[in-house]
Amino acid sequence: MSLMRSVLLAASQNKWLRENAVNYPFVRRSVSRFMPGESLDAALGAAQGLAQKQIASIFTNLGENVTDRAEAAQVTQHYLEVLRRIHQSGLNTEISVKLTQLGLDLSLDFCFENLEKIFAQGKKDSIVWVDMEASGYVDATLNIYKRSLTKYPNVGICLQAYLYRTKKDVNDLLPLRPSIRLVKGAYKEPPEIAYPKKQDVDASYFTLAQTMMAAQATGKCVRAAFGTHDVALIRQLADHAVQSGFPKKDFEVQMLYGIQREEQEHLAREGYRSAVLVAYGTYWYPWFVRRLAERPANLWFMARNLFAS
Ligand SMILES: Cc1cc2nc3c(=O)[nH]c(=O)nc-3n(C[C@H](O)[C@H](O)[C@H](O)COP(=O)(O)OP(=O)(O)OC[C@H]3O[C@@H](n4cnc5c(N)ncnc54)[C@H](O)[C@@H]3O)c2cc1C
């Protein structure tokens, strides 16, 4: 892991920065590249723009590590409202939730109860995605995911290619007919549990993606979605999908709002399923700094905003 990435990932957890950096106008201007605004209305506006380009959307209300029951219950109510608004709008929009925002740090059962309320309101033809957080949460997240799948088939999980364990996790999940979003992984993890070199993460991603596509072809994986901006990898996977006889609409790529916009549109124009995760909310600091860590060149973009102020 590069030193800069390491420093930024440590900064993403810093309480002082979280409370203070968000007040600087140049930081707020920089974050606007990755999110259309802090409100649900801003996210709905962005989703409408994406829909005009045949790009689906996924909403996430930023927040994590909630330690207060009332706040986790409030987040749950917010997502119920989000599902109502999506339904009203007729948009092709799903949601993606973080379990620590729904009370995972408080109790597994409490978190599951909150999640169940959300599933109960979800539509049958749309998935509620569950994000994967730092490695200390993987077991609990998979536990809740497996519990959920036995009652609610329309729930998807995010898995991280940088973890050595993910190959086994995919194989354990397949008999349950999961939906999986595969990502490289965004947290600071030690080499004992995660590939430290980018080339190994990329190789792991490709192998896991092939397993997921083979499972999708035989109905063992309901939806295999690839959450990445790595255009070379996406092209390799798209070629593999076409060679394996996949209908284009069954090859799904999910990206983050504001990143690789041209490729998002290109995929949609080509007939693949292109979806964009639209984040919104006021608790954006740790999420934003993880985006900086993914591409330290983004710091130049932030510096330009500083000098433009
Ligand atoms: C839809 C979606 C959901 C996600 N959910 C999770 C999750 O639940 N848990 C989790 O751990 N991680 C999640 N991630 C983040 C993921 O783990 C990676 O950290 C992130 O996607 C960067 O890796 P990459 O696959 O794009 O490849 P990289 O090899 O990092 O990047 C490939 C190229 O994409 C571009 N790029 C990548 N990131 C950025 C950026 N921030 N700014 C500008 N350009 C960029 C650059 O051109 C770069 O060269 C999610 C990502 C997506 C797209």
Side-chain angles (χ1 to χ4, degrees), residues 5 33-34 58 96-98 130-134 157-162 181-187 189 198 201-202 205 226-234 253-260 275-278 287-298:
R5 179 164 142 79
R33 180 188 162 182
F34 300 108
I58 304 158
S96 198
V97 300
K98 276 198 179 13
V130 175
D131 285 357
M132 190 57 82
E133 301 178 61
I157 185 84
C158 178
L159 296 179
Q160 299 153 323
Y162 64 8
R181 171 208 297 147
L182 184 65
V183 299
K184 289 189 188 175
Y187 297 85
E189 301 295 357
K198 177 174 161 46
V201 178
D202 292 355
Y205 194 107
F226 303 108
T228 181
H229 314 96
D230 187 334
V231 177
L233 184 60
I234 292 169
V253 178
Q254 300 181 356
M255 295 194 197
L256 301 180
Y257 178 87
I259 304 181
Q260 304 283 28
V276 167
L277 190 139
V278 180
W287 180 88
F288 170 59
V289 181
R290 288 200 293 274
R291 303 295 74 84
L292 294 180
E294 282 157 5
R295 192 163 182 257
N298 285 337

Side-chain angles (χ1 to χ4, degrees), residues 46-259:
Q48 265 145 9
L50 291 164
Q52 283 165 9
K53 297 172 182 159
Q54 314 304 321
I55 300 174
S57 46
I58 304 158
F59 286 176
T60 196
N61 173 27
L62 294 172
E64 48 201 78
N65 296 111
V66 166
T67 50
D68 175 51
R69 277 184 176 250
E71 194 182 336
Q74 222 173 30
V75 173
T76 308
Q77 288 306 316
H78 173 78
Y79 273 120
L80 298 183
E81 170 66 11
V82 174
L83 290 170
R84 269 193 295 274
R85 296 281 302 275
I86 291 173
H87 192 62
Q88 264 172 16
S89 67
L91 283 164
N92 182 8
T93 302
E94 297 179 324
I95 60 169
S96 198
V97 300
K98 276 198 179 13
L99 294 190
T100 66
Q101 197 186 13
L102 296 176
L104 185 60
D105 286 331
L106 293 159
S107 131
L108 211 115
D109 285 339
F110 172 63
C111 177
F112 184 65
E113 277 166 30
N114 286 332
L115 202 54
E116 276 203 295
K117 290 183 189 147
I118 296 173
F119 294 151
Q121 189 141 323
K123 282 203 296 175
K124 291 207 167 45
D125 56 352
S126 134
I127 299 268
V128 172
W129 294 96
V130 175
D131 285 357
M132 190 57 82
E133 301 178 61
S135 57
Y137 292 109
V138 176
D139 280 325
T141 304
L142 286 172
N143 180 329
I144 291 196
Y145 181 62
K146 287 175 186 164
R147 242 163 105 178
S148 306
L149 259 189
T150 57
K151 282 172 86 177
Y152 307 93
N154 291 348
V155 49
I157 185 84
C158 178
L159 296 179
Q160 299 153 323
Y162 64 8
L163 295 182
Y164 305 136
R165 61 174 289 168
T166 298
K167 184 175 178 208
K168 181 173 183 313
D169 289 336
V170 169
N171 288 326
D172 288 351
L173 285 176
L174 289 181
L176 306 174
R177 297 194 75 242
S179 289
I180 302 175
R181 171 208 297 147
L182 184 65
V183 299
K184 289 189 188 175
Y187 297 85
K188 187 171 178 345
E189 301 295 357
E192 291 75 31
I193 62 168
Y195 295 103
K197 289 194 189 139
K198 177 174 161 46
Q199 73 215 49
D200 294 330
V201 178
D202 292 355
S204 161
Y205 194 107
F206 190 66
T207 309
L208 292 165
Q210 283 177 305
T211 306
M212 285 163 53
M213 281 197 263
Q216 190 177 19
T218 55
K220 284 188 191 149
C221 183
V222 175
R223 257 179 56 200
F226 303 108
T228 181
H229 314 96
D230 187 334
V231 177
L233 184 60
I234 292 169
R235 290 291 141 193
Q236 238 183 324
L237 291 171
D239 289 349
H240 179 77
V242 170
Q243 277 158 20
S244 315
F246 261 72
K248 279 189 165 181
K249 66 172 181 38
D250 287 349
F251 178 72
E252 174 170 357
V253 178
Q254 300 181 356
M255 295 194 197
L256 301 180
Y257 178 87
I259 304 181

Side-chain angles (χ1 to χ4, degrees), residues 257-282:
Y257 178 87
I259 304 181
Q260 304 283 28
R261 286 177 197 226
E262 270 181 31
E263 184 65 12
Q264 296 167 4
E265 293 176 21
H266 190 187
L267 286 163
R269 276 198 305 274
E270 282 182 282
Y272 296 111
R273 185 179 161 91
S274 175
V276 167
L277 190 139
V278 180
Y280 65 93
T282 51

